[in-house]
Amino acid sequence: MSLAQLRGDSARMAPHWVVPATASAAPVSPALIHGVVVPPASARLIDATPEYGA
C-alpha cells in the first residue's frame, strides 16, 4: 500500500463519517495520553515516506 492509496481510501470513506453538531474537544496534556498502539505496517509506511521518514 502506498501513501497515495491510503489517501484515496480515506477520501472515499470521508462521506461516511458523521460529524457531531458541536465540537467539544479540549486540549489534552501529552502526559495523559497513553496506550496508543500503532501497527508495525503503518509505522513502516510512514517511515518509508520522504515527507515523514528519517
Side-chain angles (χ1 to χ4, degrees):
M1 174 176 263
S2 69
L3 184 56
Q5 288 172 309
L6 182 59
R7 291 181 68 200
D9 289 346
S10 296
R12 283 188 293 280
M13 290 173 52
H16 302 286
W17 296 334
V18 178
V19 178
T22 59
S24 60
V28 175
S29 167
L32 297 176
I33 300 173
H34 58 84
V36 176
V37 177
V38 178
S42 295
R44 283 193 301 273
L45 174 66
I46 296 301
D47 189 45
T49 59
E51 296 90 3
Y52 301 106

